[in-house]
Amino acid sequence: VQVQNPHSIKYNGTVQGLKYIWRTEGLRGLFKGNGTNCARIVPNSAVKFFSYEEASRGILWFYRQQTGNEDAELTPLLRLGAGACAGIIAMSATYPMDLVRGRITVQTDKSPSQYRGIFHALRTVFVEEGPRALYKGWLPSVIGVIPYVGLNFAVYESLKDWLVKTRPFGLAQDTELSVTTKLGCGAIAGTIGQTVAYPLDVIRRRMQMGGWKNAASVVTGESKAPLEYSGMVDAFRKTVRHEGVGALYKGLVPNSVKVVPSIAIAFVTYEVVKDILGVEMRISD
């Protein structure tokens, strides 16, 4: 939906999109790029959580030094900063995988050439478009990841702290929240972060398609007109000019259905696994 041609729309909405993909590509089409996504998400999540804990510890130490209060805690704004740092590091470390995942997902059986897998796609992009092509769309991705990951961590941790301190509706027992409550906190955090950062995600996807010789048929219908953006601002301008502001939120609903529970589960799983392994330090420490 994010990269669909406005002059050759084949489906509107999630249900129509699923029906169209099922009819034209079958069951495999619904899981296209999933292997690449799984290969990307494992190192991305590991780097993100590790970076957040290290950034939080460093920022908290600096904050206590500046205020002279050794008992000071991270504020929502400081958590936002730590989350932004973690998001930038994780995104940069795994960005080439994200780029090829997007291309593998949108290619069809009718594409003149096919990416046969992750490593074939990485090699093809590197050879045909150069090493810089592996980081196409990196700038809007980094700008988008600041509010996205930053808000995820800040809202999740701040919401948990508030629930523990105020104990509304008996949701908190002593200093612990139930798994269900934590999942709710994660879902709220994911919804806010996803909605705020989504326009930049659309622009990132479109820039990733730029320079790919087979992208024109994907994004501009049957036309073979070159698909090129000179930069992030140009991509924003062309998208809004040709398709309207609404195009910046194309695919928000299906993406949220996937991302919001994913974020909630990731947060809770991380904490539960650390408890099982006996690691005392929590995200909010």
Side-chain angles (χ1 to χ4, degrees), residues 79-146:
R79 285 179 178 142
L80 180 68
C85 290
I88 291 171
I89 293 170
M91 168 65 73
S92 300
T94 59
Y95 191 78
M97 298 286 285
D98 187 64
L99 181 137
V100 299
R101 173 186 67 118
R103 293 196 177 189
I104 290 173
T105 301
V106 301
Q107 72 179 3
T108 67
D109 293 335
K110 296 180 181 179
S111 297
S113 63
Q114 295 281 325
Y115 293 129
R116 296 191 296 272
I118 302 170
F119 297 109
H120 178 255
L122 287 169
R123 186 170 61 250
T124 302
V125 173
F126 185 88
V127 172
E128 294 186 355
E129 302 173 45
R132 290 185 61 185
L134 292 172
Y135 279 87
K136 276 186 176 178
W138 177 82
L139 182 58
S141 298
V142 166
I143 295 174
V145 92
I146 292 173

Coordinates of all heavy atoms in Angstrom, one line a residue, residues 79-146:
R79 N 14.2 9.6 28.9 CA 13.9 8.3 28.3 C 13.7 8.4 26.8 O 14.1 7.5 26.1 CB 12.7 7.7 29.0 CG 12.9 7.2 30.4 CD 11.7 6.6 31.0 NE 11.9 6.1 32.3 CZ 11.1 6.2 33.3 NH1 9.9 6.9 33.2 NH2 11.4 5.7 34.5
L80 N 13.1 9.5 26.4 CA 12.9 9.7 25.0 C 14.3 9.8 24.3 O 14.5 9.2 23.2 CB 12.1 11.0 24.7 CG 11.8 11.4 23.3 CD1 10.9 10.4 22.6 CD2 11.2 12.8 23.2
G81 N 15.2 10.5 24.9 CA 16.5 10.7 24.3 C 17.3 9.4 24.3 O 17.9 9.1 23.3
A82 N 17.2 8.6 25.3 CA 17.8 7.3 25.4 C 17.3 6.3 24.3 O 18.0 5.6 23.6 CB 17.7 6.6 26.7
G83 N 15.9 6.4 24.1 CA 15.3 5.6 23.1 C 15.6 6.0 21.7 O 15.8 5.2 20.8
A84 N 15.8 7.3 21.5 CA 16.2 7.8 20.2 C 17.6 7.3 19.9 O 17.9 6.9 18.7 CB 16.1 9.3 20.2
C85 N 18.5 7.4 20.8 CA 19.9 6.9 20.6 C 19.9 5.4 20.2 O 20.5 5.0 19.3 CB 20.7 7.1 21.9 SG 21.1 8.8 22.3
A86 N 19.1 4.6 21.0 CA 19.0 3.2 20.7 C 18.4 2.9 19.3 O 18.9 2.1 18.6 CB 18.1 2.5 21.8
G87 N 17.4 3.7 18.9 CA 16.8 3.5 17.6 C 17.7 3.8 16.5 O 17.8 3.1 15.5
I88 N 18.5 4.9 16.6 CA 19.4 5.3 15.6 C 20.5 4.2 15.4 O 20.9 3.9 14.3 CB 20.1 6.7 15.9 CG1 19.0 7.8 15.8 CG2 21.2 7.0 15.0 CD1 19.5 9.1 16.3
I89 N 21.1 3.7 16.5 CA 22.1 2.7 16.4 C 21.6 1.4 15.8 O 22.2 0.9 14.9 CB 22.7 2.5 17.8 CG1 23.4 3.7 18.4 CG2 23.7 1.3 17.8 CD1 23.8 3.6 19.8
A90 N 20.4 1.0 16.3 CA 19.9 -0.3 15.8 C 19.5 -0.2 14.3 O 19.8 -1.1 13.5 CB 18.7 -0.7 16.6
M91 N 18.9 1.0 13.9 CA 18.5 1.2 12.5 C 19.7 1.2 11.6 O 19.7 0.6 10.5 CB 17.7 2.5 12.4 CG 17.5 3.0 11.0 SD 16.4 1.9 10.0 CE 14.8 2.2 10.7
S92 N 20.7 1.9 12.0 CA 21.9 2.0 11.2 C 22.6 0.7 11.0 O 23.2 0.4 9.9 CB 22.9 3.1 11.8 OG 22.3 4.3 11.9
A93 N 22.6 -0.1 12.1 CA 23.4 -1.4 12.0 C 22.7 -2.4 11.1 O 23.4 -3.2 10.5 CB 23.5 -1.9 13.5
T94 N 21.4 -2.3 11.0 CA 20.6 -3.3 10.2 C 19.9 -2.8 9.0 O 19.1 -3.4 8.4 CB 19.6 -4.0 11.1 OG1 18.7 -3.1 11.6 CG2 20.3 -4.7 12.3
Y95 N 20.3 -1.5 8.6 CA 19.5 -0.9 7.5 C 19.6 -1.6 6.2 O 18.5 -1.7 5.5 CB 20.0 0.6 7.3 CG 19.0 1.3 6.4 CD1 17.8 1.8 6.9 CD2 19.3 1.5 5.1 CE1 16.9 2.5 6.1 CE2 18.5 2.2 4.2 CZ 17.3 2.7 4.7 OH 16.4 3.3 3.9
P96 N 20.7 -2.1 5.7 CA 20.7 -2.8 4.4 C 19.7 -4.0 4.4 O 19.1 -4.2 3.4 CB 22.2 -3.3 4.3 CG 23.0 -2.3 5.1 CD 22.1 -1.9 6.3
M97 N 19.6 -4.7 5.5 CA 18.6 -5.8 5.6 C 17.2 -5.2 5.4 O 16.3 -5.9 4.8 CB 18.7 -6.5 6.9 CG 20.1 -7.1 7.2 SD 20.3 -8.6 6.2 CE 19.3 -9.7 7.1
D98 N 16.9 -4.1 6.0 CA 15.6 -3.5 5.9 C 15.3 -3.1 4.4 O 14.2 -3.3 3.9 CB 15.5 -2.3 6.8 CG 14.1 -1.7 6.8 OD1 13.2 -2.4 7.3 OD2 13.8 -0.6 6.4
L99 N 16.3 -2.6 3.7 CA 16.1 -2.2 2.4 C 15.8 -3.3 1.5 O 14.8 -3.3 0.7 CB 17.4 -1.5 1.9 CG 17.3 -1.0 0.4 CD1 17.9 0.4 0.3 CD2 18.1 -1.9 -0.5
V100 N 16.5 -4.4 1.6 CA 16.3 -5.6 0.7 C 15.0 -6.3 1.1 O 14.3 -6.9 0.3 CB 17.5 -6.6 0.7 CG1 18.7 -5.9 0.2 CG2 17.7 -7.2 2.1
R101 N 14.6 -6.2 2.4 CA 13.3 -6.8 2.8 C 12.2 -6.1 2.0 O 11.2 -6.7 1.5 CB 13.1 -6.6 4.3 CG 11.7 -7.0 4.8 CD 11.5 -6.7 6.2 NE 11.5 -5.3 6.5 CZ 10.5 -4.6 7.0 NH1 9.4 -5.3 7.3 NH2 10.6 -3.4 7.3
G102 N 12.3 -4.7 2.0 CA 11.2 -4.0 1.3 C 11.2 -4.3 -0.2 O 10.1 -4.5 -0.8
R103 N 12.3 -4.5 -0.8 CA 12.3 -4.8 -2.3 C 11.8 -6.3 -2.5 O 11.1 -6.5 -3.5 CB 13.7 -4.7 -2.8 CG 14.1 -3.2 -2.8 CD 15.3 -3.0 -3.7 NE 15.7 -1.6 -3.8 CZ 16.6 -1.1 -4.6 NH1 17.3 -1.9 -5.4 NH2 16.9 0.2 -4.6
I104 N 12.2 -7.2 -1.7 CA 11.8 -8.6 -1.9 C 10.3 -8.7 -1.7 O 9.6 -9.4 -2.4 CB 12.5 -9.5 -0.9 CG1 14.0 -9.7 -1.3 CG2 11.8 -10.9 -0.8 CD1 14.8 -10.5 -0.3
T105 N 9.7 -7.9 -0.8 CA 8.3 -7.9 -0.5 C 7.5 -7.4 -1.7 O 6.4 -7.9 -1.9 CB 8.0 -7.0 0.8 OG1 8.7 -7.5 1.9 CG2 6.5 -7.1 1.1
V106 N 7.9 -6.3 -2.3 CA 7.1 -5.7 -3.4 C 7.4 -6.3 -4.8 O 6.6 -6.1 -5.7 CB 7.3 -4.2 -3.5 CG1 7.0 -3.6 -2.2 CG2 8.7 -3.9 -3.9
Q107 N 8.4 -7.1 -5.0 CA 8.6 -7.7 -6.3 C 7.5 -8.8 -6.6 O 7.0 -9.4 -5.7 CB 10.0 -8.4 -6.4 CG 10.2 -9.7 -5.6 CD 11.6 -10.3 -5.8 OE1 12.4 -9.7 -6.5 NE2 11.8 -11.4 -5.2
T108 N 7.2 -8.9 -7.9 CA 6.2 -9.9 -8.3 C 6.8 -10.9 -9.2 O 7.9 -10.8 -9.7 CB 5.0 -9.2 -9.0 OG1 5.5 -8.6 -10.2 CG2 4.5 -8.0 -8.1
D109 N 6.0 -11.9 -9.5 CA 6.4 -12.9 -10.5 C 6.7 -12.4 -11.9 O 7.4 -13.0 -12.7 CB 5.4 -14.1 -10.6 CG 5.2 -14.8 -9.3 OD1 6.2 -14.8 -8.5 OD2 4.2 -15.4 -9.0
K110 N 6.1 -11.2 -12.2 CA 6.2 -10.6 -13.5 C 7.4 -9.7 -13.5 O 7.7 -9.1 -14.6 CB 4.9 -9.8 -13.8 CG 3.7 -10.7 -13.9 CD 2.5 -9.8 -14.3 CE 1.2 -10.7 -14.4 NZ 0.0 -9.9 -14.7
S111 N 8.1 -9.5 -12.4 CA 9.3 -8.6 -12.4 C 10.3 -9.2 -13.4 O 10.6 -10.4 -13.4 CB 9.9 -8.5 -11.0 OG 9.0 -7.9 -10.2
P112 N 11.0 -8.4 -14.2 CA 12.0 -8.9 -15.2 C 13.1 -9.7 -14.5 O 13.6 -10.6 -15.1 CB 12.5 -7.6 -15.8 CG 11.4 -6.6 -15.6 CD 10.8 -6.9 -14.3
S113 N 13.5 -9.3 -13.3 CA 14.5 -10.1 -12.6 C 14.0 -10.3 -11.2 O 13.2 -9.5 -10.7 CB 15.9 -9.4 -12.7 OG 15.8 -8.2 -12.0
Q114 N 14.5 -11.3 -10.5 CA 14.1 -11.7 -9.2 C 15.2 -11.7 -8.2 O 16.3 -12.1 -8.5 CB 13.4 -13.0 -9.2 CG 12.1 -13.1 -10.0 CD 10.9 -12.5 -9.3 OE1 10.8 -12.7 -8.1 NE2 10.0 -11.9 -10.0
Y115 N 14.9 -11.2 -7.0 CA 15.9 -11.4 -5.9 C 15.6 -12.8 -5.4 O 14.4 -13.0 -4.9 CB 15.7 -10.3 -4.8 CG 16.1 -8.9 -5.2 CD1 15.2 -7.9 -5.1 CD2 17.3 -8.6 -5.8 CE1 15.5 -6.6 -5.4 CE2 17.6 -7.3 -6.2 CZ 16.7 -6.3 -6.0 OH 17.1 -5.0 -6.3
R116 N 16.6 -13.6 -5.3 CA 16.3 -15.0 -4.9 C 16.4 -15.2 -3.4 O 16.1 -16.2 -2.9 CB 17.3 -15.9 -5.6 CG 17.2 -16.0 -7.1 CD 18.0 -17.1 -7.7 NE 19.4 -16.9 -7.5 CZ 20.2 -16.2 -8.3 NH1 19.7 -15.7 -9.4 NH2 21.5 -16.1 -8.1
G117 N 16.9 -14.2 -2.7 CA 17.0 -14.3 -1.3 C 17.8 -13.1 -0.7 O 18.1 -12.1 -1.5
I118 N 18.0 -13.1 0.6 CA 18.6 -11.9 1.3 C 20.0 -11.6 0.7 O 20.2 -10.5 0.3 CB 18.8 -12.2 2.8 CG1 17.5 -12.6 3.4 CG2 19.4 -11.0 3.5 CD1 17.6 -13.1 4.8
F119 N 20.9 -12.6 0.6 CA 22.2 -12.3 0.2 C 22.3 -12.0 -1.3 O 23.2 -11.2 -1.7 CB 23.1 -13.5 0.6 CG 23.2 -13.8 2.0 CD1 22.6 -14.8 2.6 CD2 23.9 -12.8 2.9 CE1 22.7 -15.0 4.0 CE2 24.0 -13.0 4.2 CZ 23.3 -14.1 4.8
H120 N 21.5 -12.7 -2.1 CA 21.4 -12.3 -3.5 C 21.0 -10.9 -3.7 O 21.5 -10.2 -4.6 CB 20.5 -13.3 -4.3 CG 20.4 -13.0 -5.7 ND1 19.2 -12.4 -6.3 CD2 21.2 -13.2 -6.7 CE1 19.4 -12.2 -7.6 NE2 20.6 -12.7 -7.9
A121 N 20.0 -10.5 -2.9 CA 19.5 -9.1 -3.0 C 20.6 -8.1 -2.6 O 20.8 -7.1 -3.3 CB 18.2 -8.9 -2.2
L122 N 21.3 -8.4 -1.5 CA 22.3 -7.5 -1.0 C 23.4 -7.4 -2.1 O 23.9 -6.3 -2.4 CB 22.9 -8.0 0.3 CG 22.0 -7.8 1.5 CD1 22.6 -8.6 2.7 CD2 21.9 -6.4 1.9
R123 N 23.8 -8.5 -2.7 CA 24.9 -8.5 -3.6 C 24.5 -7.8 -4.9 O 25.2 -7.0 -5.5 CB 25.3 -10.0 -4.0 CG 26.5 -10.1 -4.9 CD 27.0 -11.5 -5.0 NE 26.0 -12.4 -5.5 CZ 25.4 -13.3 -4.8 NH1 25.7 -13.5 -3.5 NH2 24.5 -14.1 -5.3
T124 N 23.2 -8.0 -5.4 CA 22.7 -7.4 -6.6 C 22.7 -5.9 -6.4 O 23.1 -5.1 -7.3 CB 21.3 -7.9 -6.9 OG1 21.4 -9.3 -7.1 CG2 20.8 -7.3 -8.2
V125 N 22.1 -5.4 -5.3 CA 22.1 -3.9 -5.1 C 23.5 -3.3 -5.0 O 23.7 -2.3 -5.6 CB 21.3 -3.6 -3.7 CG1 21.4 -2.2 -3.4 CG2 19.9 -4.1 -3.8
F126 N 24.4 -4.0 -4.3 CA 25.7 -3.5 -4.2 C 26.4 -3.4 -5.6 O 27.1 -2.4 -5.9 CB 26.5 -4.5 -3.3 CG 27.9 -4.1 -3.0 CD1 28.2 -3.2 -1.9 CD2 29.0 -4.4 -3.8 CE1 29.5 -2.8 -1.7 CE2 30.3 -4.0 -3.6 CZ 30.5 -3.2 -2.5
V127 N 26.2 -4.4 -6.4 CA 26.9 -4.5 -7.8 C 26.3 -3.5 -8.7 O 26.9 -2.8 -9.4 CB 26.9 -5.9 -8.3 CG1 27.4 -5.9 -9.8 CG2 27.7 -6.8 -7.5
E128 N 24.9 -3.5 -8.8 CA 24.2 -2.7 -9.8 C 24.0 -1.3 -9.5 O 24.0 -0.4 -10.3 CB 22.8 -3.3 -10.1 CG 22.9 -4.7 -10.7 CD 21.5 -5.2 -11.1 OE1 20.5 -4.5 -10.8 OE2 21.4 -6.3 -11.7
E129 N 23.9 -1.0 -8.2 CA 23.6 0.4 -7.7 C 24.7 1.0 -6.9 O 24.7 2.2 -6.6 CB 22.3 0.5 -7.0 CG 21.1 -0.1 -7.8 CD 19.9 -0.2 -7.0 OE1 19.6 0.8 -6.3 OE2 19.2 -1.2 -7.1
G130 N 25.7 0.2 -6.4 CA 26.8 0.8 -5.6 C 26.5 0.6 -4.1 O 25.4 0.4 -3.7
P131 N 27.5 0.7 -3.3 CA 27.4 0.5 -1.9 C 26.5 1.5 -1.2 O 25.8 1.2 -0.2 CB 28.8 0.6 -1.3 CG 29.6 1.3 -2.4 CD 29.0 0.9 -3.7
R132 N 26.5 2.8 -1.7 CA 25.6 3.8 -1.1 C 24.1 3.5 -1.2 O 23.3 3.9 -0.4 CB 25.9 5.2 -1.8 CG 27.2 5.8 -1.4 CD 27.4 7.1 -2.0 NE 26.4 8.1 -1.5 CZ 26.3 9.3 -1.9 NH1 27.1 9.8 -2.9 NH2 25.4 10.1 -1.4
A133 N 23.8 2.7 -2.2 CA 22.4 2.3 -2.5 C 21.8 1.5 -1.3 O 20.6 1.5 -1.1 CB 22.2 1.5 -3.8
L134 N 22.7 0.8 -0.6 CA 22.2 0.0 0.6 C 21.7 0.9 1.7 O 21.1 0.4 2.6 CB 23.4 -0.9 1.1 CG 23.8 -2.0 0.1 CD1 25.1 -2.7 0.7 CD2 22.7 -3.0 0.0
Y135 N 22.0 2.2 1.6 CA 21.5 3.1 2.7 C 20.6 4.2 2.1 O 20.4 5.2 2.7 CB 22.7 3.7 3.4 CG 23.3 2.8 4.4 CD1 24.3 1.9 4.1 CD2 22.8 2.8 5.7 CE1 24.8 1.0 5.0 CE2 23.3 2.0 6.7 CZ 24.3 1.1 6.3 OH 24.8 0.2 7.3
K136 N 19.9 3.8 1.0 CA 18.9 4.8 0.4 C 17.8 4.9 1.4 O 17.2 3.9 1.8 CB 18.4 4.3 -0.9 CG 19.3 4.6 -2.1 CD 18.7 4.2 -3.4 CE 19.6 4.7 -4.6 NZ 19.0 4.3 -5.9
G137 N 17.4 6.1 1.7 CA 16.3 6.3 2.6 C 16.7 6.3 4.1 O 15.8 6.3 5.0
W138 N 18.0 6.3 4.3 CA 18.5 6.2 5.7 C 18.1 7.4 6.5 O 17.7 7.3 7.6 CB 20.0 6.0 5.6 CG 20.7 6.0 7.0 CD1 20.7 4.9 7.9 CD2 21.3 7.1 7.7 NE1 21.4 5.3 9.0 CE2 21.7 6.6 9.0 CE3 21.5 8.4 7.4 CZ2 22.4 7.4 9.9 CZ3 22.1 9.2 8.3 CH2 22.6 8.7 9.5
L139 N 18.2 8.6 5.9 CA 18.0 9.8 6.6 C 16.5 9.9 7.1 O 16.3 10.1 8.3 CB 18.3 11.1 5.7 CG 18.1 12.4 6.4 CD1 18.9 12.5 7.7 CD2 18.4 13.6 5.5
P140 N 15.5 9.7 6.3 CA 14.1 9.7 6.8 C 13.9 8.6 7.8 O 13.1 8.7 8.8 CB 13.2 9.6 5.6 CG 14.1 9.0 4.5 CD 15.5 9.6 4.8
S141 N 14.6 7.5 7.6 CA 14.5 6.4 8.6 C 15.0 6.8 10.0 O 14.4 6.5 11.0 CB 15.3 5.2 8.1 OG 14.8 4.7 6.9
V142 N 16.2 7.5 10.0 CA 16.8 7.9 11.3 C 15.9 9.0 11.9 O 15.6 8.9 13.1 CB 18.2 8.4 11.0 CG1 18.7 9.2 12.2 CG2 19.1 7.3 10.7
I143 N 15.4 9.9 11.1 CA 14.6 11.0 11.6 C 13.3 10.4 12.2 O 12.8 10.8 13.2 CB 14.2 12.0 10.5 CG1 15.5 12.7 10.1 CG2 13.2 13.0 11.0 CD1 15.4 13.7 9.0
G144 N 12.7 9.4 11.5 CA 11.5 8.7 11.9 C 11.7 7.8 13.1 O 10.8 7.7 14.0
V145 N 12.9 7.3 13.3 CA 13.1 6.3 14.4 C 13.3 7.1 15.7 O 13.1 6.5 16.8 CB 14.4 5.5 14.1 CG1 15.7 6.1 14.6 CG2 14.2 4.1 14.6
I146 N 13.6 8.4 15.6 CA 13.8 9.2 16.8 C 12.5 9.3 17.6 O 12.4 8.9 18.8 CB 14.4 10.6 16.5 CG1 15.8 10.4 16.1 CG2 14.3 11.5 17.7 CD1 16.4 11.7 15.6

